[in-house]
Amino acid sequence: MVGIVNYGAGNIFSLTAALDRVGVQYGMINNEDEFDHYERIIIPGVGHAGAAMDKLKNSGLAERIVTLRKPVLGICVGMQLLTSYSEEGDADLLGIVPLKTLHFYKRIDEKVPHMGWNSVSPQNGCVLFQGIPDNSYFYFVHSYFIESDDTYTSARCNYGINFSASIQKDNFFGVQFHPEKSGKAGEQLLLNFSRMVIS
Amino acid sequence: MLAKRIIPCLDVKDGRTVKGVNFVDLRDAGDPVELAWQYSEQGADELVFLDITATYEGRKTTIELVKAVARQVNIPFTIGGGINELRDAEVLLNSGADKISINSAAVRNPSLIDQLAKAFGRQFVVVAVDTRLVDGQNFVHLRGGRDKTEIQTENWIKEAEERGAGEILLTSMDHDGTKNGFDSALLKRVNDRIQIPLIASGGAGSQQHFVDVFQQANVDAALAASVFHYGEILVPELKDTLRKNGIVVR
């Protein structure tokens, strides 16, 4: 079963609908003890990273997340929370992955937000992308991005600049796009995560 | 590279699609959920539902529709029509809509754009603009192009962006329904002035019209209704044509 961290940052209807479509069972994590009920954990998130971090801290769930040894998947702002810092709200985040979340504005000439379908190149056979062809398109909506990094970037995307479409450190995974809105490729990625075993 | 988007638009009334559709293998051509699913399977990048229901009972039906689409369709969708205040938008967000589109309500009360962007993020707020040429100038029109306002279209779009619109859906009423092609000249002028995505609408009649609007105006997305519903243009063939013309599509 997949546990969804329920800390009030955005609507999760689309995520649960996608899990239903691919036949993955899930439940909500509302307090620290409920982490024990699930083998895999998803941290959703839309909106403002600084505000999301405040909500996560206030929910009392942040401290437990950093100690988890199960597979964890952050989606969009939920992924950004795994990094050390975001320019959005000048906020310190969970610091699990030692990267920064930066604003596109002033760094690229393209339109912001980066909205729509963009192609993604997985690096070094990232397990999240098993069975998904290289350069498949995923749906993005975001104004902040995680810098591209040789160690922690597990899939790259380009929008005026190379950035992390996905990151990984040990059992922690994050995707900047919305797998729940990314057609069949996104559904496959959710299925891959739901079957993932960390050895 | 970011792909150009193809967006079929469905007109919905009391939970049913209004304009006829001419799809093979469709059990119920009036069911917007089935139609939406079919389009997503064909490779449409996004969907827009324009809900032309005003009654309270109709609105409840719309919310059920939004939930059903969100459950069954794996691409993003926008819902427009009848959104006059934050609460209307919030209900749609919580039912699974990715974006809402506002038109007349934003013209009557421009601060609604600011409020929606602040509450839900600007990526959630599409401002739809219907424009028509009057004495050589483009003016914003309301009620599907029937009522002229004194607001110049390009100024209004700039204001909408500054107030927090995440995207502009621009329909040329002069081109809409003609099947003579999009208004690429106007779309290019607008696109050169804004930093948010622009969706072209009105006038699609052939695959070449989509090639033209992407090449001439560099818009981010193109929307059409009847050419898709009547099977005159099939999404997979359209995408092949765009690819052959060097336009990046999914």
Side-chain angles (χ1 to χ4, degrees):
Chain A
M1 281 257 273
V2 169
I4 298 170
V5 180
N6 190 14
Y7 63 109
N11 155 52
I12 53 165
F13 190 96
S14 299
L15 175 62
T16 57
L19 292 172
D20 283 333
R21 282 198 302 274
V22 295
V24 172
Q25 290 192 306
Y26 56 84
M28 296 299 151
I29 297 174
N30 300 297
N31 61 58
E32 247 189 282
D33 298 335
E34 286 172 338
F35 280 101
D36 298 333
H37 303 169
Y38 303 97
E39 292 86 47
R40 296 168 193 86
I41 311 295
I42 289 180
I43 309 172
V46 292
H48 186 282
M53 188 63 204
D54 287 343
K55 283 183 184 161
L56 194 60
K57 276 188 197 154
N58 294 338
S59 71
L61 301 173
E63 287 169 16
R64 182 67 194 279
I65 287 173
V66 298
T67 67
L68 290 170
R69 291 290 169 264
K70 309 170 182 187
V72 177
L73 176 65
I75 296 176
C76 197
V77 169
M79 170 212 207
Q80 297 175 355
L81 291 177
L82 300 176
T83 68
S84 308
Y85 169 82
S86 178
E87 288 186 345
E88 189 172 24
D90 190 24
D92 288 327
L93 304 178
L94 291 170
I96 294 166
V97 183
L99 295 176
K100 288 197 177 97
T101 301
L102 307 172
H103 203 314
F104 274 127
Y105 181 65
K106 287 182 183 169
R107 289 186 175 84
I108 61 168
D109 290 331
E110 327 300 319
K111 293 177 175 182
V112 179
H114 173 221
M115 186 191 288
W117 298 81
N118 206 332
S119 57
V120 166
S121 326
Q123 310 288 310
N124 309 319
C126 176
V127 287
L128 274 183
F129 293 88
Q130 267 175 15
I132 300 170
D134 281 6
N135 301 313
S136 289
Y137 282 86
F138 290 86
Y139 188 77
F140 291 83
V141 184
H142 60 126
S143 299
Y144 292 79
F145 68 97
I146 297 174
E147 53 192 331
S148 179
D149 177 85
D150 289 339
T151 308
Y152 300 110
T153 299
S154 53
R156 281 206 176 86
C157 185
N158 184 280
Y159 187 61
I161 189 172
N162 277 326
F163 69 93
S164 297
S166 75
I167 54 173
Q168 184 193 351
K169 188 188 176 210
D170 306 324
N171 54 314
F172 290 94
F173 297 79
V175 290
Q176 181 63 69
F177 49 81
H178 288 273
E180 72 277 19
K181 286 289 166 181
S182 292
K184 290 198 172 66
E187 289 174 350
Q188 182 64 48
L189 186 137
L190 289 172
L191 209 50
N192 289 346
F193 177 72
S194 74
R195 292 169 178 164
M196 188 182 287
V197 179
I198 300 285
S199 52
Chain B
M1 230 174 123
L2 187 64
K4 299 296 186 188
R5 287 173 277 153
I6 298 298
I7 308 178
C9 176
L10 310 175
D11 286 331
V12 177
K13 189 173 192 295
D14 297 327
R16 307 277 298 169
T17 50
V18 183
K19 287 179 186 162
V21 288
N22 186 15
F23 262 26
V24 280
D25 299 333
L26 212 58
R27 276 167 300 160
D28 177 358
D31 178 4
V33 182
E34 182 162 0
L35 200 50
W37 186 82
Q38 194 90 10
Y39 279 128
S40 72
E41 288 294 297
Q42 288 185 357
D45 298 301
E46 211 170 305
L47 297 164
V48 169
F49 295 87
L50 288 185
D51 168 30
I52 50 179
T53 305
T55 63
Y56 174 72
E57 283 303 312
R59 296 297 291 166
K60 280 202 299 195
T61 312
T62 301
I63 287 159
E64 288 311 308
L65 165 70
V66 171
K67 285 183 180 167
V69 172
R71 277 191 206 102
Q72 295 179 46
V73 176
N74 58 16
I75 59 173
F77 69 97
T78 301
I79 184 130
I83 298 154
N84 293 306
E85 51 181 305
L86 282 187
R87 206 176 45 182
D88 300 328
E90 188 171 17
V91 171
L92 295 169
L93 174 73
N94 291 332
S95 307
D98 297 284
K99 307 175 197 177
I100 47 122
S101 158
I102 49 172
N103 189 334
S104 309
V107 175
R108 282 195 293 266
N109 172 22
S111 70
L112 181 63
I113 303 172
D114 306 67
Q115 292 168 29
L116 287 167
K118 188 160 182 286
F120 309 115
R122 64 187 304 158
Q123 82 291 334
F124 185 63
V125 186
V126 181
V127 173
V129 179
D130 292 341
T131 185
R132 196 187 279 281
L133 265 180
V134 179
D135 298 330
Q137 282 191 311
N138 267 287
F139 288 93
V140 175
H141 281 65
L142 304 180
R143 296 207 310 136
R146 287 193 290 272
D147 297 349
K148 179 179 173 292
T149 70
E150 295 304 317
I151 306 166
Q152 292 200 4
T153 301
E154 291 169 62
N155 293 343
W156 169 237
I157 289 172
K158 196 66 199 163
E159 180 180 342
E161 177 185 26
E162 281 160 8
R163 286 180 177 275
E167 202 162 28
I168 301 291
L169 166 53
L170 179 56
T171 303
S172 162
M173 304 311 301
D174 300 305
H175 288 241
D176 200 35
T178 64
K179 298 198 174 181
N180 286 330
F182 296 94
D183 189 347
S184 292
L186 171 67
L187 287 158
K188 182 176 189 321
R189 276 204 311 280
V190 169
N191 205 20
D192 286 346
R193 281 187 71 184
I194 58 174
Q195 279 300 312
I196 52 176
L198 177 63
I199 305 169
S201 161
S206 71
Q207 296 190 15
Q208 186 60 39
H209 292 151
F210 288 86
V211 174
D212 291 343
V213 77
F214 286 125
Q215 288 184 339
Q216 292 166 10
N218 196 27
V219 292
D220 299 275
L223 174 146
S226 59
V227 288
F228 293 132
H229 302 329
Y230 291 109
E232 293 163 23
I233 295 179
L234 301 177
V235 176
E237 291 175 7
L238 171 58
K239 289 204 161 177
D240 277 345
T241 301
L242 292 169
R243 254 181 233 111
K244 281 178 191 143
N245 283 275
I247 295 157
V248 176
V249 289
R250 179 169 71 106

